[in-house]
Amino acid sequence: MIKIDCPFCGVRDHSEFSYGGDGSIEWPALDASASDWVTAVYERDNIRGKQWETWHHLYGCRQWLLVERDTLTHEIHTVKLAHSGCGQLSR
Amino acid sequence: MASRYSMWSVFRNGLSGQQHWDRVWRDPEPASHYDVVIVGGGLHGLATAYYLKKMHGIRRVAVLEKGWIGGGNAGRNTTIVRSNYRLPGNREFYEHSLSLWENLSHELNYNVMFSQRGHVTVLHSPGAIDTFSRTYNTLRMTGSDGEFWDLDTLKKNIPHLNYAADARFPIYGATVQPRAGTARHDAVVWGYARAADALGVDLIQNCEVTGITRDADRIASLQTSRGVITGDKTAFAVAGHTSQLWHMAGLGGLPIESHKLQAFVSEPLKPLLDHVVAFSVGGGLFYVSQSDKGGMVFGGDLDWYKSYAQRGNLPMVQNVAECATALLPCLGRVRLLRHWAGVMDMSMDGSFFICKTPLSNLYLNAGWNYGGFKASPASGWYFADLIANDRPHDVIRHHDLQRFARGYIIDERGAGADPKLHG
């Protein structure tokens, strides 16, 4: 079981969370070209090793988190809030 | 060259104490140059090599395998073969694959133990009946076989499913593909390896590609753990780790994420289940068959997060066990013998890639999602056709990397651009 240290709830099993996906994607502006959107929506680096990814604490505080995790060993290096503006609530 | 297997060879070798069988395939040293170098000695790479030789007469073909033949996902699947895909392209492709399976033991002179025991999708609502009837009608209209079994027929054929009125998911009926079934996974990979080797393909094991040298828009050479190897054409068939080779070739991102899928086998039981049975409801997926040794072979959903670890997580073990006992309560006290996980290329629309690439002498076979085992004969057939003729066959012309930019999404489930949802 992967344990994720949620900034709001503390260390919880990953089964409380829902996996989002690649957290390094930068979404283009709404009026960006179609090819920019194709790249952002469909193309992934699919890193074997440390990567940033999003997790949703679905059965906890329901916040989206940015998690730095190794996709080969499942070791978690960093957990932080995915959105700015709610940092003042963190422990 | 290996001798032909026959009743006579079994008899003769039986009389001489099984001491005189030939090596099943050679173990050649890699040459420095080939006409076609296939990276990946799994089912897809081996089948590709076989059809390149057999159908297209390509002279010098090598298959590079980083481990040993049969050590990857060829040995990590639930061995189900079916063709109940609906969308154009997928429909013809998987039907072709099923027809290749039907003659594969003869074709390869190797018993792949293909058992057309029928694939039964259990349905749990009138809506599911409508949806699946549509797919199975499509099968019937396109030269395949599909049936609907009402509850009485289903009970007669598979008496021990959970038919209780208060079951969490009451059973309404089933759609069935009688020609579908299972095959012996080791036999398929060994059969293709032996047949390819007999045609002169060099199978190079313990040969990992560690670097790729580019010459503008071409692959110049592959650095491997057994020296530098060049090919007029290079083909990738390494589903699970496609992205790593793609990065090595300096090609950037792909519409693929690597996820892992678990499979399980129970202790051997007396004959219990004659068919392949699949169960799919919101939040649960389960498919099961009984092996010739009596083990219940089954699997479920992905582990739900991206991973390259070839080991599964426990929440999914619990999920699959819950599905198993919901569908087949009689399995409740059966013990597991083994479970394992394989790394899959999950693509952005749940469909595969057999296509040309941005590099002029590089060809891609990837993105098999859950469908790699059943697809392997046709995958090799169409990939060899693409490599030999340098143009995609009509059937797979939309299975390229540009389909997303064209808006031609091949999404059987309608799940959207999220790889983990295409189980």
Side-chain angles (χ1 to χ4, degrees):
Chain A
M1 186 80 78
I2 300 173
K3 307 269 192 190
I4 298 175
D5 189 4
C6 173
F8 295 102
C9 313
V11 177
R12 299 296 180 91
D13 290 347
H14 84 255
S15 52
E16 285 190 10
F17 295 78
S18 167
Y19 183 67
D22 190 330
S24 68
I25 301 166
E26 287 185 21
W27 299 104
L30 285 176
D31 58 354
S33 70
S35 81
D36 287 351
W37 275 101
V38 167
T39 304
V41 173
Y42 294 109
E43 292 193 3
R44 296 290 176 267
D45 284 335
N46 197 18
I47 293 165
R48 185 174 190 260
K50 263 201 222 179
Q51 74 162 18
W52 283 102
E53 53 197 22
T54 55
W55 289 75
H56 186 202
H57 199 178
L58 191 63
Y59 302 112
C61 59
R62 299 187 71 84
Q63 294 301 310
W64 280 93
L65 306 177
L66 268 173
V67 177
E68 190 186 25
R69 183 181 67 105
D70 192 307
T71 59
L72 186 60
T73 65
H74 298 169
E75 189 182 355
I76 291 191
H77 297 277
T78 317
V79 182
K80 60 185 188 183
L81 301 169
H83 305 290
S84 59
C86 44
Q88 67 272 22
L89 297 176
S90 64
R91 304 181 281 142
Chain B
M1 182 175 295
S3 58
R4 195 173 164 74
Y5 293 158
S6 64
M7 195 104 98
W8 167 240
S9 70
V10 170
F11 182 68
R12 184 163 42 86
N13 282 285
L15 287 179
S16 59
Q18 313 289 359
Q19 298 298 306
H20 303 290
W21 290 103
D22 294 326
R23 254 195 94 96
V24 178
W25 57 78
R26 298 167 298 131
D27 185 21
E29 282 301 312
S32 60
H33 183 79
Y34 290 95
D35 296 331
V36 178
V37 178
I38 298 164
V39 183
L43 280 164
H44 297 256
L46 294 168
T48 305
Y50 173 75
Y51 292 113
L52 272 175
K53 276 280 186 186
K54 173 91 190 300
M55 315 278 297
H56 306 286
I58 307 290
R59 215 160 59 82
R60 292 168 302 174
V61 179
V63 176
L64 312 185
E65 167 55 44
K66 75 173 174 184
W68 67 93
I69 299 294
N73 284 351
R76 291 172 179 269
N77 55 73
T78 47
T79 78
I80 296 169
V81 176
R82 56 184 170 84
S83 76
N84 55 350
Y85 288 71
R86 182 171 57 84
L87 296 178
N90 280 354
R91 182 76 274 285
E92 297 90 330
F93 176 89
Y94 285 102
E95 195 57 36
H96 186 189
S97 206
L98 184 53
S99 69
L100 290 171
W101 276 105
E102 288 180 316
N103 193 41
L104 201 56
S105 292
H106 292 134
E107 172 83 26
L108 302 178
N109 180 229
Y110 203 102
N111 184 6
V112 301
M113 299 165 73
F114 182 45
S115 157
Q116 293 181 287
R117 59 184 67 184
H119 179 278
V120 179
T121 305
V122 182
L123 304 171
H124 302 274
S125 70
I129 289 177
D130 289 349
T131 306
F132 278 82
S133 296
R134 182 181 175 210
T135 297
Y136 281 66
N137 280 332
T138 307
L139 299 191
R140 294 172 70 103
M141 288 164 65
T142 49
S144 189
D145 60 330
E147 293 176 3
F148 175 73
W149 286 359
D150 60 21
L151 203 48
D152 287 339
T153 313
L154 185 60
K155 280 180 177 168
K156 220 171 289 168
N157 279 283
I158 313 177
H160 33 266
L161 298 179
N162 186 359
Y163 296 108
D166 62 349
R168 173 66 184 83
F169 298 105
I171 296 172
Y172 280 64
T175 43
V176 181
Q177 187 175 37
R179 284 163 63 236
T182 62
R184 174 76 203 171
H185 56 98
D186 299 315
V188 187
V189 69
W190 293 333
Y192 266 120
R194 174 173 170 272
D197 174 83
L199 292 174
V201 172
D202 280 0
L203 307 180
I204 318 286
Q205 300 182 72
N206 299 309
C207 183
E208 182 173 5
V209 173
T210 53
I212 294 172
T213 306
R214 286 252 309 263
D215 173 14
D217 76 332
R218 290 174 53 81
I219 299 267
S221 65
L222 303 173
Q223 284 83 56
T224 78
S225 51
R226 297 184 66 177
V228 174
I229 298 174
T230 60
D232 292 339
K233 295 178 176 178
T234 300
F236 290 169
V238 295
H241 292 79
T242 309
S243 296
Q244 278 62 53
L245 275 181
W246 204 249
H247 282 299
M248 239 183 250
L251 289 168
L254 275 176
I256 288 172
E257 266 187 14
S258 295
H259 285 254
K260 67 190 149 81
L261 179 61
Q262 301 191 52
F264 307 81
V265 63
S266 77
E267 59 188 333
L269 307 175
K270 288 190 175 181
L272 172 72
L273 196 60
D274 295 335
H275 306 81
V276 180
V277 177
F279 162 81
S280 174
V281 293
L285 173 65
F286 178 71
Y287 34 91
V288 60
S289 66
Q290 188 168 22
S291 79
D292 292 339
K293 286 188 283 193
M296 305 303 291
V297 181
F298 53 92
D301 267 316
L302 297 170
D303 276 8
W304 295 123
Y305 50 80
K306 209 192 101 176
S307 173
Y308 285 96
Q310 285 179 313
R311 60 177 194 278
N313 70 25
L314 288 173
M316 191 47 67
V317 176
Q318 181 176 358
N319 181 298
V320 169
E322 284 169 355
C323 289
T325 48
L327 184 68
L328 284 157
C330 60
L331 294 183
R333 298 181 69 83
V334 170
R335 287 164 298 185
L336 277 185
L337 194 63
R338 287 193 302 279
H339 84 114
W340 61 93
V343 180
M344 352 278 294
D345 275 4
M346 297 303 296
S347 72
M348 280 290 178
D349 61 357
S351 290
F352 61 88
F353 304 100
I354 294 180
C355 59
K356 300 176 75 166
T357 68
L359 304 185
S360 62
N361 64 344
L362 175 67
Y363 303 85
L364 180 68
N365 177 317
W368 288 102
N369 297 274
Y370 277 40
F373 181 76
K374 69 178 86 73
S376 49
S379 167
W381 197 95
Y382 286 105
F383 197 35
D385 178 78
L386 169 74
I387 296 165
N389 299 312
D390 196 39
R391 56 99 192 94
H393 191 282
D394 210 35
V395 163
I396 51 143
R397 70 187 186 282
H398 296 303
H399 285 83
D400 61 357
L401 292 167
Q402 289 79 40
R403 65 176 181 256
F404 302 101
R406 291 198 305 274
Y408 197 97
I409 312 296
I410 310 174
D411 186 346
E412 293 274 344
R413 294 187 67 172
D418 190 345
K420 68 178 180 290
L421 301 182
H422 293 292

